[in-house]
Amino acid sequence: MTVNSLRATILVARRNPGYKDIPGIRYHYPKLRYGRIASTLNNQLVIFYEPRRGGARAGAAFGGRSAFTAMAYVDRIWDDPEDDTHGYLGFRYYLEFPEPVGLEDTPVEGKSLQFAIRSVPYAAA
C-alpha cells in the first residue's frame, strides 16, 4: 500500500446531535445511508469533525468550531435495538485534541464533509 492510497475516515459530530450519540462512547447513524462504510470501520481509527452548524436540526444556529476535535478507535459496531434502521459505532481510546485543528489548517476540502461518515484520501506532506 502506498501513502497515496491511504484513506482516513471522518465522522461529523455536531455539538448538539439529532441522533443518540454519546461523545467519546458511541456514534449513532442511519444504516441506509452509512451502513456500508460504517461496517468497514471495526478496528479502525476515525477522526471527529465538528461542523460550523452545531444543532440537531437544519436551521440550527451556528456555533460549531469547523474543526477536527478528536480521534478514536472503533471497537464495536451494533444495531440500534430500538430502531433497526440505525446503528452504532462504539469507541475505545477516544482522545480529544488539546487544541482543535481548524479545517483551514488541513488539506481536507470542506465539501467532502457534507456527509456524516466520510472516507477521504490522506495526503502526505
Side-chain angles (χ1 to χ4, degrees), residues 4-123:
N4 291 337
S5 66
L6 293 176
R7 300 187 74 74
T9 300
I10 298 169
L11 302 180
V12 176
R14 301 184 190 296
R15 282 187 179 205
N16 300 304
Y19 294 98
K20 297 184 248 179
D21 298 355
I22 298 176
I25 297 174
R26 70 181 190 199
Y27 186 85
H28 194 231
Y29 64 90
K31 291 192 298 187
L32 183 61
R33 179 124 194 198
Y34 301 111
R36 196 166 112 203
I37 191 169
S39 70
T40 69
L41 297 178
N42 203 29
N43 300 317
Q44 300 293 315
L45 286 171
V46 293
I47 301 167
F48 293 86
Y49 172 75
E50 181 182 299
R52 178 80 51 213
R53 286 193 180 264
R57 61 189 189 287
F62 290 94
R65 295 176 279 184
S66 189
F68 295 93
T69 59
M71 60 190 286
Y73 177 79
V74 176
D75 73 342
R76 186 172 173 217
I77 302 168
W78 73 98
D79 294 333
D80 181 338
E82 298 171 358
D83 181 353
D84 64 2
T85 67
H86 284 70
Y88 289 103
L89 298 175
F91 306 113
R92 187 167 28 144
Y93 309 125
Y94 178 84
L95 176 66
E96 285 192 31
F97 299 149
E99 295 290 327
V101 178
L103 184 59
E104 68 279 358
D105 295 326
T106 73
V108 177
E109 294 183 30
K111 66 182 179 183
S112 69
L113 299 170
Q114 294 176 6
F115 299 98
I117 302 175
R118 180 69 177 216
S119 180
V120 296
Y122 176 80

